[in-house]
Amino acid sequence: MPNHAKGTRSEVSWDPNSIRDDFPILARTVHRERPLVFFDNAASTQHPVAVLDAMDACYRRHYANVHRGVHRLSQEASDAYDAARARVASFVGAERVDEIVFVAGTTMAINLVARSMGESGIGAGDEILLTEMEHHSNIVPWQQLAARCGARVRFLPIRDDGTLALERLGEFLSPRTRIVAFTAVSNVVGTINPVTELVARAKQVGATVLVDAAQHVPHDRTDVRAWGADFVVFSGHKMLGPTGIGVLWGRYDRLESLPPFLGGGSMITEVTTSGFVPNLPPAKFEAGTPPIVEAVGLHAAIDYLESIGLERIARHEAELTSRAIDAMSAIDGVRILGPKAEQRAGIVSFVVDGVSSQDLCVFLDLKGFALRNGHHCAMPLHERLGVPSSCRASFYLYNTLAEIDRFATTLRSEIDRLR
Ligand code: PMP
């Protein structure tokens, strides 16, 4: 049994040092032998050997195109691809395996829904409701859709503390609201949104609801049926898996009635010179050769996460986050963006009076700390918070309390130096 799997799920804390050896990249150093502290997990996460090995074995022993051949390798690859879909379905609580559509990532999934919904009756005067804390990938596809069909995009405001102004929801929901799309967790301020409540309110006016779960699925238990939305989307590379694969979960009847987005192989049952008949979901939305080896990697990533337990991962990240917020707020000039620790996931963005976020991240990098700076693909949110950019530290299961403590000490000294 791997070290990390020992003990019970009810343990209050858990030692991430027991799994760090599973991640070869965490052993490397940067800039004159500084140990790497990887705090850029909201952008993309690192890979355990189990994921690297699963993908390597697929390429070395089982690789061929899927669902296209009777030969042995094609069958092995098809079985692996189908097994990955089944694993994702059980991981997020889908009712049916064919509610899982493999796509390139969250961005692709949202574009797919926006494109397809645009062809199925959104029109002038209709409204699309988003929030002020969305990632650009949950804004631009809807703006594009609105521009094509004359609909209006509206934004539910946030409060100053980075939580959604739920008390104002009534002003924004009406029978004209056809789509409500929002993030489960902000990729900048880390706010955990009340998904079930928001979905229920949107459903009262008959809207279609899409939840951007890119920052939720990797970090906490997700049950798509309990959320009650129509679509839930997320990316493999933010949950220990490879790039190039993501998931669109859709309620089966919604996927059935949605027109296909991309045309090509696999998404049809018949093509003639005069037209085509679309396949059933999920094949209907998977035109062309799919991300086969990436699906195998995602399967291994889910197995790995489950061997630890999403509940335990969430608890560990909560501990890291509250330690980080306590230590960082004690540093003169640091302004942490977003709500108190209890309301947020493992993401802490901040600005420092008189110091540019770019300079600070460059100097932190020289000490071994990988943070992201900039607008984190959320320009409207930064505008609302009154800052052009921020530094972002984001944590995952392999980060330790000792790393947080070292970070706080280094942050303090770098700020002193830069001022
Ligand atoms: N939504 C959120 C909340 C995100 O954090 C991200 C990635 N930063 C995306 C969407 C886009 O994901 P991807 O780049 O994998 O398509």
Side-chain angles (χ1 to χ4, degrees):
M1 190 194 279
N3 270 344
H4 64 259
K6 289 180 190 145
T8 66
R9 294 267 164 102
S10 59
E11 278 175 321
V12 173
S13 59
W14 162 75
D15 182 7
N17 289 305
S18 65
I19 60 154
R20 284 181 65 91
D21 287 349
D22 295 343
F23 294 81
I25 207 166
L26 299 180
R28 68 161 287 187
T29 54
V30 291
H31 303 300
R32 279 178 270 130
E33 304 307 311
R34 304 256 180 214
L36 170 70
V37 175
F38 191 75
F39 281 174
D40 194 18
N41 295 288
S44 204
T45 57
Q46 302 299 348
H47 306 92
V49 172
V51 168
L52 303 174
D53 282 355
M55 295 178 74
D56 186 65
C58 186
Y59 275 128
R60 285 176 193 272
R61 295 215 21 97
H62 311 290
Y63 182 74
N65 212 330
V66 294
H67 303 145
R68 280 160 172 78
V70 292
H71 63 80
R72 181 80 200 181
L73 287 190
S74 179
Q75 285 184 9
E76 287 179 11
S78 302
D79 288 349
Y81 186 67
D82 295 344
R85 196 191 305 282
R87 189 67 179 103
V88 172
S90 67
F91 182 58
V92 296
E95 194 165 335
R96 300 168 57 145
V97 172
D98 43 18
E99 290 179 335
I100 303 297
V101 180
F102 282 133
V103 290
T106 302
T107 304
M108 175 67 169
I110 299 171
N111 276 274
L112 187 163
V113 175
R115 276 277 164 184
S116 299
M117 286 206 56
E119 289 177 24
S120 57
I122 305 281
D126 287 339
E127 292 182 358
I128 300 165
L129 179 61
L130 313 177
T131 82
E132 278 183 342
M133 67 168 75
E134 299 310 313
H135 187 280
H136 295 165
S137 67
N138 199 28
I139 300 176
V140 181
W142 305 115
Q143 290 174 327
Q144 291 173 307
L145 168 59
R148 280 196 303 276
C149 67
R152 175 179 177 212
V153 180
R154 303 186 71 192
F155 291 85
L156 179 69
I158 60 163
R159 305 181 187 117
D160 290 343
D161 71 352
T163 56
L164 288 176
L166 295 171
E167 66 284 359
R168 296 193 56 193
L169 200 48
E171 296 168 41
F172 290 84
L173 286 174
S174 78
R176 284 194 304 275
T177 317
R178 298 289 311 281
I179 297 167
V180 176
F182 65 90
T183 193
V185 171
S186 161
N187 69 310
V188 178
V189 283
T191 314
I192 302 172
N193 288 323
V195 177
T196 316
E197 183 187 337
L198 279 163
V199 173
R201 292 288 301 277
K203 286 285 161 196
Q204 279 169 7
V205 296
T208 291
V209 187
L210 178 142
V211 180
D212 175 351
Q215 300 292 350
H216 189 281
V217 170
H219 304 282
D220 205 350
R221 180 70 59 198
T222 301
D223 182 340
V224 292
R225 266 186 290 177
W227 275 355
D230 300 283
F231 303 105
V232 174
V233 299
F234 54 98
S235 298
H237 69 94
K238 293 184 195 286
M239 50 189 284
L240 311 182
T243 53
I245 188 160
V247 174
L248 162 64
W249 168 84
R251 243 179 46 215
Y252 192 77
D253 59 323
R254 293 311 308 263
L255 292 177
E256 244 180 341
S257 59
L258 206 61
F261 166 40
L262 295 174
S266 299
M267 52 72 71
I268 43 78
T269 52
E270 195 186 331
V271 184
T272 64
T273 49
S274 52
F276 70 93
V277 179
N279 209 332
L280 293 172
K284 181 176 157 184
F285 300 104
E286 293 185 1
T289 298
I292 302 162
V293 184
E294 290 77 5
V296 168
L298 179 58
H299 187 163
I302 293 174
D303 284 347
Y304 188 89
L305 290 170
E306 285 287 31
S307 75
I308 294 162
L310 271 291
E311 295 76 8
R312 188 144 58 165
I313 292 169
R315 267 201 310 271
H316 174 61
E317 289 180 25
E319 214 180 327
L320 295 172
T321 306
S322 70
R323 178 90 141 234
I325 289 182
D326 284 351
M328 290 164 68
S329 8
I331 302 173
D332 192 32
V334 171
R335 174 183 159 206
I336 295 175
L337 308 175
K340 45 188 193 288
E342 307 82 79
Q343 280 172 289
R344 70 160 86 208
I347 296 175
V348 184
S349 294
F350 61 98
V351 290
V352 180
D353 296 341
V355 178
S356 96
S357 58
Q358 159 116 0
D359 288 353
L360 187 53
C361 286
V362 166
F363 282 95
L364 287 167
D365 174 55
L366 290 172
K367 300 282 181 202
F369 296 89
L371 274 76
R372 181 157 171 195
N373 72 286
H375 51 63
H376 320 304
C377 299
M379 289 173 87
L381 175 58
H382 278 84
E383 196 182 333
R384 165 65 180 82
L385 295 170
V387 291
S389 65
S390 58
C391 304
R392 179 179 72 185
S394 52
F395 316 126
Y396 210 11
L397 69 170
Y398 36 66
N399 291 124
T400 66
L401 289 170
E403 285 181 323
I404 302 275
D405 294 344
R406 276 174 38 221
F407 170 64
T409 308
T410 308
L411 179 62
R412 188 186 291 271
S413 58
E414 290 306 305
I415 290 174
D416 285 349
R417 217 154 58 81
L418 281 166
R419 267 175 161 177

